[in-house]
Amino acid sequence: DAGVIQSPRHEVTEMGQEVTLRCKPISGHNSLFWYRQTMMRGLELLIYFNNNVPIDDSGMPEDRFSAKMPNASFSTLKIQPSEPRDSAVYFCASSFDNYNEQFFGPGTRLTVL
Amino acid sequence: GQQVMQIPQYQHVQEGEDFTTYCNSSTTLSNIQWYKQRPGGHPVFLIQLVKSGEVKKQKRLTFQFGEAKKNSSLHITATQTTDVGTYFCAGSDYKLSFGAGTTVTVRA
């Protein structure tokens, strides 16, 4: 298995632009997580899905952030409009059920200028 | 809600020495997991503890789950440069909550 796949690996954009991050979880996993990591705030859970359904989005910072999981093999995290304070590394992780070992993707390093 | 606290935030260790990092929860946990993130990398699962008082070892790493299932520790003996990174604990009741991590640097 290729593990969790994220794209792009790096994204540089200008303030106000829309950003879409993509994730392909490990086949067979039914839980998917989006995290944001910064030096100041550490590793923050933004949202997680179980069986493609959003279960807890309490970590989503504001309405500019949205996440979807249209099927078991794909998820997106969208920021519109982006702001410089959104600059961070965004990780996607998947697991079999939401309390088991999580497998992290390599992350997307987002820079908003 | 559930909160997982880790101390210390930073650990500077002389190569060859031992150190311990601690994880405490405000609630009883069903299990606790430990992850390691190398600089520039992503968190990688190390181990999961489920039973009260459980102790597990991985080579120079010893993991312990408290009797009350509200705290855990990771002890590393004879620290090596390969131990550099950030160690996260993650506690679970109905979902996994990550601590802030202990970032370890090693002096050769």
Side-chain angles (χ1 to χ4, degrees), chain B residues 54-71:
Chain B
E54 188 171 12
V55 178
K56 288 187 177 181
K57 291 189 176 184
Q58 288 181 349
K59 297 182 179 179
R60 296 178 296 101
L61 278 59
T62 301
F63 303 85
Q64 187 167 7
F65 201 8
E67 293 290 340
K69 301 184 75 173
K70 296 178 75 172
N71 58 74

Side-chain angles (χ1 to χ4, degrees), chain B residues 17-33:
Chain B
E17 291 184 342
D18 302 352
F19 76 90
T20 304
T21 177
Y22 300 90
C23 182
N24 296 291
S25 170
S26 56
T27 60
T28 301
L29 302 169
S30 59
N31 69 67
I32 197 153
Q33 301 174 13

